[in-house]
């Protein structure tokens, strides 16, 4: 016989949990010591392992109890139902993950202004996805839609998207306190152009088109782009013009924006 404390150590389950299992009839100890401590057999241990196994698959204790005691339990139906439930939960949790990542990115873009980020993301979530897709399909050709799919997303966790988000956050920060010609701002612009060349080389026409739409509030909204203050976009545009003028580069538009 195995003492309840020893069983708890072996299985990494608390004594309190084992007592609860006993109380609800899920795992009743086979015996007790004279002092009233629960004792378990090897058969009890195997049953506990089954309980842990079913719990790892997401089953509730009430379901596990029925599985272990009801000889009429329909295993195929029960497992399919549980699999469906788990897949639905995965979709729900993935949506929650995207929302959390988008909020973190929004706060970064808004330079810590969480209220503004929340309001912007609420506005985005209320948009009709079908209308957004229809507008994109009517606006871009097949090649451009392929490029669109490569754009950074607020909810993405890849390094490219996260760097774009960080750079835009810096522009939002400097907009309040630096001139567009400031060295720190120009360094951000330089990195943006480097990333644009790395990710969208030879696609200047698409970038120009996207930037013009980004600067138009209605078009930007219809595309489902994260709202960026119009003054910040104008500030960014001026900073790009200054950089290109100082470095004698051909005119290009800022690109890669969420």
């Amino acid at each position: 016989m195995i003492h309840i404390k020893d069983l708890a150590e072996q299985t990494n389950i608390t004594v309190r949990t084992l007592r609860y299992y006993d109380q609800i009839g899920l795992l009743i100890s086979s015996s007790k010591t004279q002092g009233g401590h629960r004792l378990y057999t090897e058969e009890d241990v195997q049953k506990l392992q089954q309980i842990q196994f079913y719990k790892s698959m997401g089953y509730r204790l009430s379901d596990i109890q029925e599985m272990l005691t009801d000889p009429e339990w329909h295993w195929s139906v029960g497992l399919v139902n549980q699999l469906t439930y788990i897949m639905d939960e995965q979709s729900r949790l993935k949506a929650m993950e995207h929302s959390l990542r988008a909020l973190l990115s929004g706060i970064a873009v808004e330079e810590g202004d969480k209220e503004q980020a929340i309001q912007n993301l609420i506005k985005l979530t209320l948009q009709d996805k079908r209308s957004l897709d229809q507008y994109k399909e009517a606006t871009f050709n097949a090649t451009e839609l392929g490029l669109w799919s490569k754009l950074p997303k607020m909810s993405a966790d890849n390094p490219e998207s996260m760097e774009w988000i960080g750079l835009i956050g810096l522009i939002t920060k400097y907009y309040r306190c630096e001139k567009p010609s400031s060295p720190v701002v120009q360094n951000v612009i330089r990195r943006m152009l480097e990333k644009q060349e790395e990710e969208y080389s030879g696609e200047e026409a698409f970038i120009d088109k996207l930037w013009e739409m980004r600067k138009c509030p209605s078009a930007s909204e219809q595309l489902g782009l994260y709202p960026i203050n119009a003054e910040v976009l104008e500030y960014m545009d001026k900073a790009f013009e200054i950089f290109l003028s100082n470095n004698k580069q051909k005119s290009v538009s800022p690109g890669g924006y969420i």
Side-chain angles (χ1 to χ4, degrees):
M1 303 291 282
I2 304 174
H3 193 280
I4 187 172
K5 288 185 177 180
D6 295 330
L7 181 59
E9 290 181 3
Q10 291 177 22
T11 59
N12 199 30
I13 295 177
T14 65
V15 169
R16 182 178 180 181
T17 297
L18 291 171
R19 287 173 179 163
Y20 178 67
Y21 287 175
D22 194 312
Q23 290 170 9
I24 65 175
L26 182 60
L27 181 67
I28 301 173
S29 62
S30 295
S31 182
K32 289 185 178 181
T33 66
Q34 290 183 346
H37 296 291
R38 294 171 175 82
L39 297 172
Y40 297 87
T41 63
E42 287 297 331
E43 186 177 345
D44 295 330
V45 174
Q46 291 180 4
K47 187 175 181 181
L48 178 59
Q49 290 172 340
Q50 284 184 289
I51 292 169
Q52 289 178 287
F53 176 69
Y54 296 137
K55 277 193 67 179
S56 72
M57 292 192 292
Y59 280 103
R60 296 172 297 181
L61 294 182
S62 58
D63 293 330
I64 296 173
Q65 191 162 22
E66 188 176 356
M67 294 165 72
L68 294 175
T69 58
D70 184 2
E72 301 299 322
W73 175 267
H74 200 303
W75 283 93
S76 295
V77 174
L79 291 172
V80 169
N81 288 341
Q82 185 64 8
L83 180 59
T84 300
Y85 167 75
I86 293 299
M87 293 176 69
D88 288 343
E89 278 295 286
Q90 286 179 333
S91 297
R92 185 180 68 84
L93 291 173
K94 196 65 180 178
M96 290 173 62
E97 177 190 346
H98 286 166
S99 295
L100 289 168
R101 290 191 185 282
L103 181 54
L104 284 170
S105 298
I107 291 173
V109 168
E110 301 298 340
E111 191 57 27
D113 188 343
K114 61 180 183 298
E115 295 299 330
Q116 185 61 55
I118 290 170
Q119 289 304 313
N120 285 341
L121 290 172
I122 288 175
K123 184 177 180 180
L124 288 177
T125 57
L126 293 176
Q127 290 180 300
D128 180 62
K129 188 177 185 303
R130 181 179 297 180
S131 296
L132 295 177
D133 290 341
Q134 289 175 344
Y135 184 77
K136 279 186 287 188
E137 290 171 4
T139 303
F140 300 114
N141 59 39
T143 301
E144 291 171 336
L145 287 172
L147 293 169
W148 173 274
S149 67
K150 294 169 53 180
L151 293 175
K153 306 292 189 297
M154 293 294 287
S155 58
D157 61 348
N158 58 75
E160 293 77 16
S161 291
M162 294 178 73
E163 185 175 2
W164 274 118
I165 290 164
L167 291 170
I168 296 169
L170 287 174
I171 290 293
T172 304
K173 173 184 176 181
Y174 294 143
Y175 153 75
R176 300 188 180 100
C177 59
E178 298 283 351
K179 293 181 178 180
S181 58
S182 166
V184 291
V185 175
Q186 290 298 298
N187 280 335
V188 175
I189 299 301
R190 176 189 54 78
R191 181 54 189 152
M192 283 183 167
L193 284 171
E194 288 175 351
K195 284 184 64 61
Q196 180 177 318
E197 181 62 25
E198 293 166 6
E199 299 167 22
Y200 306 99
S201 178
E203 302 297 343
E204 288 78 9
F206 170 73
I207 295 301
D208 289 344
K209 182 177 181 178
L210 180 62
W211 179 240
E212 290 305 313
M213 299 188 77
R214 163 54 95 179
K215 291 189 293 183
C216 174
S218 61
S220 185
E221 181 177 350
Q222 287 180 288
L223 287 172
L225 296 171
Y226 181 85
I228 296 178
N229 186 300
E231 294 181 353
V232 172
L233 292 175
E234 183 180 354
Y235 172 88
M236 194 186 305
D237 213 14
K238 289 180 179 178
F240 267 92
E241 289 177 3
I242 292 169
F243 182 91
L244 296 173
S245 175
N246 290 342
N247 292 274
K248 296 182 171 56
Q249 294 188 20
K250 64 178 182 179
S251 179
V252 295
S253 300
Y257 299 122
I258 309 142

